[in-house]
Amino acid sequence: MTRSSNPTVWSSESGRMCPECGYPVSACRCSKRPTPAAPSDGIVRIFRDSKSRKGKTVTVITGLPMPEDQLLQLASDLKRRCGSGGSVKEGKIELQGDHRDKIAAELKALGYRVKLAGG
């Protein structure tokens, strides 16, 4: 069998293994690649979501045309502004709680076209 058809996903020595490069997840070379900014239509969408979160409400911001490091900085500023926690996942900013109105006002002040999407 070749490595690509049956990759090692766990080792008792180093724990979880990356199926792409074969290194431990902590030393994975795949995740070190810079991720390009997601294609955008120029509209930042803000919506509320509670699916797969045990009923907890999360505000999700998508469509921001910027690289990962700038998303992290913007997420930090928005978390501070809203007084809540959150994270950046797959090019989306997720903030704990329903802060759509505050975030919309903040992003409009920064010059983005904002649309409140979903329920």
Side-chain angles (χ1 to χ4, degrees):
M1 285 187 206
T2 64
R3 181 150 199 60
S4 62
S5 66
N6 190 14
T8 304
V9 293
W10 194 83
S11 166
S12 59
E13 210 171 276
S14 50
R16 282 188 52 105
M17 305 290 280
C18 176
E20 299 287 324
C21 64
Y23 286 96
V25 171
S26 59
C28 176
R29 294 182 178 182
C30 302
S31 63
K32 303 291 189 250
R33 293 183 208 146
T35 55
S40 175
D41 60 356
I43 299 174
V44 177
R45 290 177 172 80
I46 304 170
F47 60 94
R48 185 181 63 205
D49 188 22
S50 61
K51 293 179 184 173
S52 305
R53 293 178 171 84
K54 299 179 185 175
K56 306 284 186 192
T57 301
V58 175
T59 303
V60 181
I61 306 163
T62 62
L64 288 164
M66 56 180 64
E68 188 82 17
D69 58 335
Q70 290 178 355
L71 272 178
L72 289 169
Q73 181 61 42
L74 179 62
S76 176
D77 294 341
L78 291 174
K79 289 189 297 185
R80 199 173 306 114
R81 185 82 163 146
C82 296
S84 68
S87 65
V88 175
K89 294 180 183 174
E90 300 172 2
K92 301 175 186 176
I93 298 176
E94 297 181 359
L95 297 175
Q96 297 170 354
D98 185 4
H99 302 286
R100 291 179 296 170
D101 297 329
K102 284 183 193 176
I103 294 169
E106 192 71 25
L107 291 176
K108 282 181 185 176
L110 291 174
Y112 292 103
R113 288 177 40 199
V114 177
K115 183 183 278 188
L116 296 180

Short mmCIF file of all heavy atoms in Angstrom, two decimals, residues 1-67:
data_model
loop_
_atom_site.label_atom_id
_atom_site.label_comp_id
_atom_site.label_asym_id
_atom_site.label_seq_id
_atom_site.Cartn_x
_atom_site.Cartn_y
_atom_site.Cartn_z
N MET A 1 0.83 -1.19 0.00
CA MET A 1 0.00 0.00 0.00
C MET A 1 0.87 1.25 0.00
O MET A 1 1.89 1.29 0.66
CB MET A 1 -0.88 0.04 1.24
CG MET A 1 -2.03 -0.89 1.20
SD MET A 1 -3.07 -0.59 2.60
CE MET A 1 -3.79 -2.18 2.76
N THR A 2 0.41 2.26 -0.68
CA THR A 2 1.15 3.52 -0.71
C THR A 2 0.65 4.43 0.39
O THR A 2 -0.42 4.24 0.96
CB THR A 2 0.98 4.21 -2.06
OG1 THR A 2 -0.38 4.55 -2.22
CG2 THR A 2 1.44 3.33 -3.20
N ARG A 3 1.42 5.46 0.67
CA ARG A 3 1.08 6.41 1.72
C ARG A 3 -0.24 7.12 1.44
O ARG A 3 -1.01 7.39 2.33
CB ARG A 3 2.19 7.43 1.88
CG ARG A 3 1.91 8.43 2.97
CD ARG A 3 3.22 8.88 3.55
NE ARG A 3 3.19 9.48 4.82
CZ ARG A 3 2.76 8.96 5.96
NH1 ARG A 3 2.24 7.78 5.99
NH2 ARG A 3 2.84 9.61 7.09
N SER A 4 -0.51 7.44 0.17
CA SER A 4 -1.71 8.19 -0.16
C SER A 4 -2.97 7.34 -0.03
O SER A 4 -4.03 7.86 0.24
CB SER A 4 -1.60 8.77 -1.57
OG SER A 4 -1.48 7.70 -2.50
N SER A 5 -2.87 6.02 -0.22
CA SER A 5 -4.07 5.19 -0.13
C SER A 5 -4.38 4.78 1.31
O SER A 5 -5.52 4.46 1.62
CB SER A 5 -3.92 3.95 -1.01
OG SER A 5 -2.89 3.13 -0.50
N ASN A 6 -3.39 4.77 2.19
CA ASN A 6 -3.62 4.38 3.57
C ASN A 6 -2.73 5.22 4.50
O ASN A 6 -1.75 4.71 5.04
CB ASN A 6 -3.35 2.88 3.76
CG ASN A 6 -3.79 2.40 5.11
OD1 ASN A 6 -4.52 3.09 5.81
ND2 ASN A 6 -3.35 1.22 5.49
N PRO A 7 -3.03 6.49 4.68
CA PRO A 7 -2.16 7.32 5.53
C PRO A 7 -2.36 7.02 7.01
O PRO A 7 -3.43 6.65 7.45
CB PRO A 7 -2.63 8.73 5.20
CG PRO A 7 -4.06 8.57 4.82
CD PRO A 7 -4.13 7.23 4.13
N THR A 8 -1.28 7.17 7.78
CA THR A 8 -1.35 7.03 9.22
C THR A 8 -2.02 8.28 9.78
O THR A 8 -1.63 9.40 9.47
CB THR A 8 0.06 6.91 9.82
OG1 THR A 8 0.72 5.81 9.20
CG2 THR A 8 0.02 6.71 11.32
N VAL A 9 -3.07 8.10 10.60
CA VAL A 9 -3.77 9.25 11.15
C VAL A 9 -3.54 9.42 12.65
O VAL A 9 -3.86 10.45 13.21
CB VAL A 9 -5.29 9.18 10.88
CG1 VAL A 9 -5.58 9.33 9.41
CG2 VAL A 9 -5.88 7.90 11.43
N TRP A 10 -2.96 8.40 13.30
CA TRP A 10 -2.67 8.50 14.72
C TRP A 10 -1.48 7.61 15.05
O TRP A 10 -1.35 6.50 14.51
CB TRP A 10 -3.87 8.07 15.56
CG TRP A 10 -3.72 8.47 17.00
CD1 TRP A 10 -4.01 9.67 17.54
CD2 TRP A 10 -3.23 7.66 18.06
NE1 TRP A 10 -3.74 9.67 18.89
CE2 TRP A 10 -3.25 8.43 19.23
CE3 TRP A 10 -2.76 6.37 18.14
CZ2 TRP A 10 -2.84 7.98 20.46
CZ3 TRP A 10 -2.34 5.90 19.38
CH2 TRP A 10 -2.39 6.70 20.52
N SER A 11 -0.63 8.10 15.92
CA SER A 11 0.53 7.34 16.35
C SER A 11 0.63 7.43 17.86
O SER A 11 0.43 8.50 18.44
CB SER A 11 1.79 7.92 15.71
OG SER A 11 2.94 7.42 16.34
N SER A 12 0.95 6.31 18.53
CA SER A 12 1.07 6.34 19.99
C SER A 12 2.26 7.19 20.42
O SER A 12 2.31 7.66 21.55
CB SER A 12 1.20 4.92 20.54
OG SER A 12 2.33 4.30 20.00
N GLU A 13 3.19 7.42 19.52
CA GLU A 13 4.37 8.21 19.82
C GLU A 13 4.09 9.71 19.77
O GLU A 13 4.49 10.46 20.64
CB GLU A 13 5.46 7.85 18.81
CG GLU A 13 6.85 7.99 19.35
CD GLU A 13 7.82 7.41 18.35
OE1 GLU A 13 8.02 6.18 18.36
OE2 GLU A 13 8.36 8.20 17.58
N SER A 14 3.37 10.16 18.74
CA SER A 14 3.20 11.60 18.56
C SER A 14 1.74 12.05 18.44
O SER A 14 1.49 13.22 18.21
CB SER A 14 3.98 12.08 17.33
OG SER A 14 3.68 11.27 16.23
N GLY A 15 0.79 11.15 18.59
CA GLY A 15 -0.62 11.55 18.55
C GLY A 15 -1.16 11.64 17.14
O GLY A 15 -0.78 10.86 16.27
N ARG A 16 -2.05 12.64 16.90
CA ARG A 16 -2.67 12.79 15.58
C ARG A 16 -1.64 13.11 14.52
O ARG A 16 -0.75 13.92 14.73
CB ARG A 16 -3.72 13.89 15.61
CG ARG A 16 -5.01 13.46 16.25
CD ARG A 16 -6.07 14.53 16.09
NE ARG A 16 -6.23 14.94 14.70
CZ ARG A 16 -7.22 14.60 13.91
NH1 ARG A 16 -8.18 13.84 14.36
NH2 ARG A 16 -7.29 15.01 12.67
N MET A 17 -1.81 12.50 13.35
CA MET A 17 -0.91 12.71 12.21
C MET A 17 -1.70 13.36 11.08
O MET A 17 -2.87 13.06 10.87
CB MET A 17 -0.34 11.39 11.72
CG MET A 17 0.36 10.58 12.80
SD MET A 17 1.88 11.29 13.34
CE MET A 17 2.96 10.79 12.04
N CYS A 18 -1.07 14.25 10.35
CA CYS A 18 -1.69 14.89 9.20
C CYS A 18 -1.75 13.88 8.05
O CYS A 18 -0.72 13.33 7.66
CB CYS A 18 -0.91 16.13 8.77
SG CYS A 18 -1.55 16.90 7.27
N PRO A 19 -2.94 13.64 7.47
CA PRO A 19 -3.02 12.68 6.37
C PRO A 19 -2.39 13.20 5.08
O PRO A 19 -2.08 12.42 4.19
CB PRO A 19 -4.52 12.45 6.20
CG PRO A 19 -5.17 13.62 6.81
CD PRO A 19 -4.24 14.12 7.87
N GLU A 20 -2.19 14.50 4.97
CA GLU A 20 -1.60 15.09 3.76
C GLU A 20 -0.09 14.91 3.71
O GLU A 20 0.44 14.37 2.76
CB GLU A 20 -1.94 16.58 3.69
CG GLU A 20 -3.41 16.89 3.63
CD GLU A 20 -4.01 16.55 2.29
OE1 GLU A 20 -3.33 16.72 1.26
OE2 GLU A 20 -5.16 16.09 2.27
N CYS A 21 0.61 15.39 4.77
CA CYS A 21 2.07 15.38 4.73
C CYS A 21 2.68 14.26 5.57
O CYS A 21 3.86 13.95 5.41
CB CYS A 21 2.62 16.73 5.19
SG CYS A 21 2.24 17.15 6.90
N GLY A 22 1.92 13.62 6.47
CA GLY A 22 2.43 12.52 7.27
C GLY A 22 3.15 12.94 8.54
O GLY A 22 3.63 12.09 9.28
N TYR A 23 3.24 14.23 8.83
CA TYR A 23 3.87 14.73 10.05
C TYR A 23 2.83 14.85 11.16
O TYR A 23 1.64 14.91 10.88
CB TYR A 23 4.50 16.10 9.81
CG TYR A 23 5.77 16.04 8.98
CD1 TYR A 23 5.73 16.25 7.61
CD2 TYR A 23 6.99 15.76 9.57
CE1 TYR A 23 6.88 16.19 6.84
CE2 TYR A 23 8.14 15.70 8.82
CZ TYR A 23 8.09 15.92 7.46
OH TYR A 23 9.23 15.85 6.72
N PRO A 24 3.28 14.90 12.43
CA PRO A 24 2.33 15.15 13.51
C PRO A 24 1.61 16.48 13.27
O PRO A 24 2.17 17.41 12.69
CB PRO A 24 3.21 15.22 14.76
CG PRO A 24 4.45 14.49 14.40
CD PRO A 24 4.64 14.68 12.94
N VAL A 25 0.36 16.58 13.73
CA VAL A 25 -0.45 17.78 13.49
C VAL A 25 0.23 19.02 14.06
O VAL A 25 0.18 20.09 13.46
CB VAL A 25 -1.87 17.60 14.08
CG1 VAL A 25 -2.65 18.88 14.03
CG2 VAL A 25 -2.60 16.51 13.34
N SER A 26 0.94 18.89 15.17
CA SER A 26 1.62 20.04 15.76
C SER A 26 2.76 20.54 14.88
O SER A 26 3.14 21.71 14.95
CB SER A 26 2.16 19.69 17.14
OG SER A 26 3.06 18.61 17.05
N ALA A 27 3.33 19.68 14.03
CA ALA A 27 4.42 20.07 13.15
C ALA A 27 4.02 19.95 11.67
O ALA A 27 4.88 19.85 10.80
CB ALA A 27 5.63 19.18 13.42
N CYS A 28 2.73 20.00 11.41
CA CYS A 28 2.21 19.82 10.05
C CYS A 28 2.73 20.92 9.13
O CYS A 28 2.71 22.10 9.46
CB CYS A 28 0.69 19.84 10.07
SG CYS A 28 -0.06 19.76 8.45
N ARG A 29 3.18 20.51 7.95
CA ARG A 29 3.67 21.48 6.97
C ARG A 29 2.55 21.98 6.08
O ARG A 29 2.70 22.99 5.41
CB ARG A 29 4.76 20.83 6.12
CG ARG A 29 5.98 20.50 6.95
CD ARG A 29 7.06 19.92 6.12
NE ARG A 29 8.22 19.65 6.94
CZ ARG A 29 9.34 19.17 6.49
NH1 ARG A 29 9.45 18.89 5.21
NH2 ARG A 29 10.35 18.96 7.29
N CYS A 30 1.45 21.27 6.03
CA CYS A 30 0.31 21.67 5.18
C CYS A 30 -0.35 22.94 5.71
O CYS A 30 -0.73 23.80 4.94
CB CYS A 30 -0.74 20.57 5.14
SG CYS A 30 -0.13 19.01 4.54
N SER A 31 -0.50 23.04 7.03
CA SER A 31 -1.19 24.20 7.61
C SER A 31 -0.34 25.46 7.59
O SER A 31 -0.85 26.54 7.82
CB SER A 31 -1.62 23.89 9.03
OG SER A 31 -0.47 23.66 9.83
N LYS A 32 0.95 25.33 7.31
CA LYS A 32 1.83 26.50 7.28
C LYS A 32 1.72 27.28 5.98
O LYS A 32 2.20 28.38 5.86
CB LYS A 32 3.29 26.07 7.47
CG LYS A 32 3.54 25.29 8.72
CD LYS A 32 3.41 26.15 9.95
CE LYS A 32 3.89 25.41 11.18
NZ LYS A 32 2.90 25.02 12.10
N ARG A 33 1.06 26.69 4.98
CA ARG A 33 0.91 27.38 3.71
C ARG A 33 0.00 28.58 3.88
O ARG A 33 -1.02 28.50 4.56
CB ARG A 33 0.28 26.46 2.67
CG ARG A 33 1.16 25.33 2.27
CD ARG A 33 0.49 24.53 1.18
NE ARG A 33 0.97 23.16 1.26
CZ ARG A 33 0.27 22.11 0.98
NH1 ARG A 33 -0.98 22.22 0.61
NH2 ARG A 33 0.79 20.91 1.08
N PRO A 34 0.34 29.72 3.29
CA PRO A 34 -0.54 30.88 3.39
C PRO A 34 -1.83 30.61 2.64
O PRO A 34 -1.83 30.06 1.54
CB PRO A 34 0.26 32.01 2.73
CG PRO A 34 1.26 31.33 1.87
CD PRO A 34 1.54 29.99 2.50
N THR A 35 -2.94 31.01 3.25
CA THR A 35 -4.23 30.83 2.61
C THR A 35 -4.61 32.11 1.88
O THR A 35 -4.54 33.20 2.45
CB THR A 35 -5.33 30.50 3.63
OG1 THR A 35 -5.35 31.53 4.62
CG2 THR A 35 -5.07 29.17 4.30
N PRO A 36 -4.98 32.01 0.61
CA PRO A 36 -5.36 33.21 -0.12
C PRO A 36 -6.70 33.74 0.38
O PRO A 36 -7.49 33.01 0.97
CB PRO A 36 -5.48 32.72 -1.57
CG PRO A 36 -5.76 31.26 -1.44
CD PRO A 36 -5.07 30.81 -0.19
N ALA A 37 -6.93 35.02 0.15
CA ALA A 37 -8.19 35.62 0.55
C ALA A 37 -9.33 35.00 -0.24
O ALA A 37 -9.18 34.69 -1.42
CB ALA A 37 -8.15 37.13 0.32
N ALA A 38 -10.45 34.80 0.40
CA ALA A 38 -11.59 34.18 -0.27
C ALA A 38 -12.16 35.14 -1.30
O ALA A 38 -12.19 36.36 -1.09
CB ALA A 38 -12.67 33.84 0.76
N PRO A 39 -12.62 34.61 -2.44
CA PRO A 39 -13.22 35.50 -3.44
C PRO A 39 -14.49 36.13 -2.87
O PRO A 39 -15.23 35.49 -2.14
CB PRO A 39 -13.53 34.57 -4.61
CG PRO A 39 -13.52 33.20 -4.04
CD PRO A 39 -12.61 33.23 -2.86
N SER A 40 -14.71 37.37 -3.21
CA SER A 40 -15.83 38.10 -2.61
C SER A 40 -16.56 38.89 -3.69
O SER A 40 -15.99 39.30 -4.69
CB SER A 40 -15.29 39.05 -1.54
OG SER A 40 -16.32 39.84 -1.03
N ASP A 41 -17.85 39.12 -3.45
CA ASP A 41 -18.64 39.95 -4.36
C ASP A 41 -18.69 41.39 -3.87
O ASP A 41 -19.43 42.20 -4.39
CB ASP A 41 -20.05 39.38 -4.53
CG ASP A 41 -20.81 39.29 -3.22
OD1 ASP A 41 -20.23 39.60 -2.17
OD2 ASP A 41 -21.99 38.90 -3.26
N GLY A 42 -17.93 41.71 -2.83
CA GLY A 42 -17.87 43.07 -2.32
C GLY A 42 -18.85 43.36 -1.21
O GLY A 42 -18.89 44.46 -0.69
N ILE A 43 -19.66 42.38 -0.84
CA ILE A 43 -20.64 42.58 0.23
C ILE A 43 -20.25 41.71 1.42
O ILE A 43 -20.03 40.51 1.28
CB ILE A 43 -22.06 42.22 -0.24
CG1 ILE A 43 -22.47 43.11 -1.40
CG2 ILE A 43 -23.05 42.34 0.90
CD1 ILE A 43 -23.78 42.73 -2.04
N VAL A 44 -20.17 42.32 2.58
CA VAL A 44 -19.89 41.59 3.81
C VAL A 44 -21.24 41.17 4.40
O VAL A 44 -22.11 42.01 4.62
CB VAL A 44 -19.11 42.48 4.81
CG1 VAL A 44 -18.89 41.74 6.11
CG2 VAL A 44 -17.79 42.92 4.22
N ARG A 45 -21.40 39.88 4.62
CA ARG A 45 -22.65 39.36 5.15
C ARG A 45 -22.49 39.00 6.62
O ARG A 45 -21.52 38.33 6.99
CB ARG A 45 -23.12 38.16 4.34
CG ARG A 45 -23.58 38.57 2.97
CD ARG A 45 -23.98 37.38 2.11
NE ARG A 45 -24.60 37.83 0.87
CZ ARG A 45 -23.95 38.26 -0.19
NH1 ARG A 45 -22.64 38.33 -0.15
NH2 ARG A 45 -24.59 38.64 -1.28
N ILE A 46 -23.46 39.43 7.41
CA ILE A 46 -23.44 39.17 8.85
C ILE A 46 -24.72 38.40 9.17
O ILE A 46 -25.81 38.87 8.87
CB ILE A 46 -23.41 40.48 9.65
CG1 ILE A 46 -22.22 41.33 9.23
CG2 ILE A 46 -23.37 40.19 11.14
CD1 ILE A 46 -22.25 42.73 9.80
N PHE A 47 -24.57 37.22 9.74
CA PHE A 47 -25.76 36.47 10.11
C PHE A 47 -25.59 35.77 11.43
O PHE A 47 -24.48 35.60 11.93
CB PHE A 47 -26.16 35.48 9.00
CG PHE A 47 -25.13 34.45 8.66
CD1 PHE A 47 -25.16 33.21 9.25
CD2 PHE A 47 -24.15 34.72 7.73
CE1 PHE A 47 -24.22 32.25 8.92
CE2 PHE A 47 -23.21 33.77 7.39
CZ PHE A 47 -23.25 32.52 7.99
N ARG A 48 -26.72 35.39 12.02
CA ARG A 48 -26.75 34.71 13.30
C ARG A 48 -26.89 33.22 13.03
O ARG A 48 -27.64 32.80 12.15
CB ARG A 48 -27.94 35.22 14.10
CG ARG A 48 -28.02 34.67 15.50
CD ARG A 48 -29.24 35.20 16.21
NE ARG A 48 -30.42 34.72 15.48
CZ ARG A 48 -31.59 35.34 15.50
NH1 ARG A 48 -31.74 36.45 16.15
NH2 ARG A 48 -32.60 34.84 14.83
N ASP A 49 -26.18 32.41 13.80
CA ASP A 49 -26.22 30.97 13.61
C ASP A 49 -26.20 30.29 14.97
O ASP A 49 -25.55 30.77 15.90
CB ASP A 49 -25.01 30.54 12.78
CG ASP A 49 -25.06 29.09 12.37
OD1 ASP A 49 -26.17 28.52 12.33
OD2 ASP A 49 -23.99 28.53 12.07
N SER A 50 -26.92 29.17 15.09
CA SER A 50 -26.86 28.38 16.32
C SER A 50 -26.82 26.89 16.01
O SER A 50 -26.89 26.08 16.92
CB SER A 50 -28.07 28.70 17.21
OG SER A 50 -29.26 28.37 16.54
N LYS A 51 -26.68 26.54 14.75
CA LYS A 51 -26.61 25.12 14.38
C LYS A 51 -25.27 24.52 14.82
O LYS A 51 -24.24 25.17 14.72
CB LYS A 51 -26.74 24.97 12.86
CG LYS A 51 -28.10 25.36 12.35
CD LYS A 51 -28.15 25.21 10.85
CE LYS A 51 -29.46 25.70 10.33
NZ LYS A 51 -29.50 25.72 8.88
N SER A 52 -25.31 23.32 15.29
CA SER A 52 -24.12 22.57 15.73
C SER A 52 -23.37 23.28 16.85
O SER A 52 -22.16 23.13 16.98
CB SER A 52 -23.17 22.33 14.56
OG SER A 52 -23.83 21.69 13.51
N ARG A 53 -24.08 24.08 17.64
CA ARG A 53 -23.43 24.80 18.74
C ARG A 53 -24.19 24.64 20.04
O ARG A 53 -24.15 25.51 20.89
CB ARG A 53 -23.31 26.28 18.38
CG ARG A 53 -22.34 26.53 17.24
CD ARG A 53 -22.30 27.99 16.89
NE ARG A 53 -21.25 28.28 15.95
CZ ARG A 53 -21.35 28.14 14.63
NH1 ARG A 53 -22.46 27.70 14.10
NH2 ARG A 53 -20.34 28.44 13.84
N LYS A 54 -24.94 23.56 20.16
CA LYS A 54 -25.72 23.26 21.37
C LYS A 54 -26.69 24.39 21.72
O LYS A 54 -26.90 24.71 22.89
CB LYS A 54 -24.81 22.96 22.54
CG LYS A 54 -23.90 21.77 22.32
CD LYS A 54 -23.01 21.54 23.51
CE LYS A 54 -22.04 20.43 23.21
NZ LYS A 54 -21.08 20.25 24.29
N GLY A 55 -27.23 25.07 20.72
CA GLY A 55 -28.21 26.12 20.94
C GLY A 55 -27.62 27.49 21.22
O GLY A 55 -28.34 28.46 21.36
N LYS A 56 -26.31 27.59 21.31
CA LYS A 56 -25.66 28.88 21.59
C LYS A 56 -25.67 29.72 20.31
O LYS A 56 -25.38 29.24 19.23
CB LYS A 56 -24.21 28.69 22.03
CG LYS A 56 -24.03 27.76 23.19
CD LYS A 56 -24.43 28.41 24.47
CE LYS A 56 -24.07 27.45 25.61
NZ LYS A 56 -24.61 27.81 26.84
N THR A 57 -25.97 31.01 20.45
CA THR A 57 -26.02 31.91 19.30
C THR A 57 -24.63 32.45 18.99
O THR A 57 -23.88 32.85 19.89
CB THR A 57 -26.96 33.09 19.60
OG1 THR A 57 -28.25 32.56 19.88
CG2 THR A 57 -27.05 34.02 18.41
N VAL A 58 -24.30 32.46 17.71
CA VAL A 58 -23.02 32.96 17.23
C VAL A 58 -23.28 33.90 16.07
O VAL A 58 -24.13 33.63 15.23
CB VAL A 58 -22.11 31.80 16.77
CG1 VAL A 58 -20.83 32.31 16.17
CG2 VAL A 58 -21.81 30.88 17.92
N THR A 59 -22.59 35.03 16.02
CA THR A 59 -22.66 35.95 14.89
C THR A 59 -21.52 35.61 13.95
O THR A 59 -20.36 35.57 14.36
CB THR A 59 -22.54 37.40 15.37
OG1 THR A 59 -23.57 37.66 16.33
CG2 THR A 59 -22.67 38.36 14.22
N VAL A 60 -21.86 35.35 12.67
CA VAL A 60 -20.86 34.94 11.68
C VAL A 60 -20.73 36.05 10.65
O VAL A 60 -21.72 36.55 10.12
CB VAL A 60 -21.27 33.62 11.00
CG1 VAL A 60 -20.21 33.20 10.00
CG2 VAL A 60 -21.48 32.53 12.03
N ILE A 61 -19.48 36.43 10.34
CA ILE A 61 -19.19 37.48 9.36
C ILE A 61 -18.44 36.83 8.21
O ILE A 61 -17.37 36.25 8.41
CB ILE A 61 -18.33 38.59 9.99
CG1 ILE A 61 -19.00 39.11 11.25
CG2 ILE A 61 -18.11 39.71 8.99
CD1 ILE A 61 -18.08 39.89 12.15
N THR A 62 -19.00 36.93 7.00
CA THR A 62 -18.38 36.34 5.82
C THR A 62 -18.20 37.40 4.74
O THR A 62 -18.84 38.45 4.78
CB THR A 62 -19.23 35.20 5.24
OG1 THR A 62 -20.48 35.72 4.83
CG2 THR A 62 -19.44 34.09 6.24
N GLY A 63 -17.35 37.09 3.77
CA GLY A 63 -17.18 37.97 2.62
C GLY A 63 -16.16 39.07 2.81
O GLY A 63 -16.10 40.00 2.01
N LEU A 64 -15.34 38.98 3.83
CA LEU A 64 -14.30 39.99 4.04
C LEU A 64 -13.10 39.67 3.15
O LEU A 64 -12.49 38.61 3.29
CB LEU A 64 -13.87 40.04 5.50
CG LEU A 64 -14.88 40.65 6.45
CD1 LEU A 64 -14.55 40.30 7.88
CD2 LEU A 64 -14.93 42.15 6.26
N PRO A 65 -12.77 40.55 2.21
CA PRO A 65 -11.69 40.27 1.26
C PRO A 65 -10.32 40.64 1.82
O PRO A 65 -9.73 41.64 1.45
CB PRO A 65 -12.05 41.16 0.07
CG PRO A 65 -12.73 42.33 0.69
CD PRO A 65 -13.47 41.79 1.88
N MET A 66 -9.82 39.82 2.74
CA MET A 66 -8.51 40.10 3.34
C MET A 66 -7.85 38.80 3.74
O MET A 66 -8.53 37.80 3.96
CB MET A 66 -8.65 41.05 4.53
CG MET A 66 -9.58 40.58 5.62
SD MET A 66 -9.75 41.71 7.02
CE MET A 66 -10.48 43.13 6.30
N PRO A 67 -6.51 38.80 3.85
CA PRO A 67 -5.79 37.59 4.26
C PRO A 67 -6.04 37.27 5.74
O PRO A 67 -6.58 38.07 6.49
CB PRO A 67 -4.33 37.92 4.00
CG PRO A 67 -4.25 39.38 3.79
CD PRO A 67 -5.62 39.87 3.45
#
